[in-house]
Amino acid sequence: MDTRTRQQQRGMSLIGLIFVGLIVVFLLILGSKVVPAVVEYIAIERAVQKIKNEGTTVRDIQTAFERHRTIDDITSITAADLDITKEGDKIVISYAYQKKIPILDNVSLVIDFAGTTRDRQTRAVP
């Protein structure tokens, strides 16, 4: 009878539980460090989308971005980092930056963020 109940019992051992717990804790710590960088990227994207029609000169657009930068607490880029060009009759604002997130003592995660107000052309697949 004793061997029969042992065969029916299934589950995780204590070592397995500790291992899974360590993985979950590591992922939670990683997520808590990555989420602020993604939230800042979303704030930058919103600010750029809002200011694309606020001015006709580079200086007007930069001033509008600095205003949004102050309000949204954006620290990764400044108005000078924006690439402002004109394509046809539309103003195109582009930006790209890297965010270095320290994970452990000498281990870091580097994320490349980029965005533009350029209309994305959809191509028909032949």
Side-chain angles (χ1 to χ4, degrees), residues 4 14 17-18 22 33-34 47 53-54 58 63-64 66 69 75-77 80 83 90 92 99 106 109 111 117:
R4 190 177 215 179
L14 181 60
L17 182 65
I18 291 170
L22 288 174
K33 292 184 179 200
V34 171
N53 297 322
E54 285 191 21
V58 172
T63 303
E66 284 298 327
R69 185 174 171 260
T75 59
S76 294
I77 65 172
D83 183 26
K90 293 186 178 182
V92 176
K99 185 73 172 185
N106 58 350
L109 175 67
I111 304 175
T117 59

Side-chain angles (χ1 to χ4, degrees), residues 3 7 10-13 22 29 31-32 35-36 40 42 44 59 63 78 83 97 106 109-111 118 120 122-123 125:
T3 59
Q7 288 176 349
R10 306 229 182 237
M12 191 178 296
S13 67
L22 288 174
I29 291 171
S32 71
V35 166
E40 184 178 41
I42 293 169
I44 292 170
R59 189 70 201 139
T63 303
T78 64
D83 183 26
Y97 66 98
N106 58 350
L109 175 67
V110 178
I111 304 175
R118 181 178 292 122
R120 291 183 172 84
T122 57
R123 294 186 194 175
V125 178

Side-chain angles (χ1 to χ4, degrees), residues 36-56:
V38 174
V39 168
E40 184 178 41
Y41 168 72
I42 293 169
I44 292 170
E45 183 66 26
R46 274 196 220 134
V48 168
Q49 291 298 325
K50 285 180 185 176
I51 66 168
K52 69 181 179 182
N53 297 322
E54 285 191 21
T56 56

Side-chain angles (χ1 to χ4, degrees), residues 23 26 88:
I23 291 173
F26 176 75

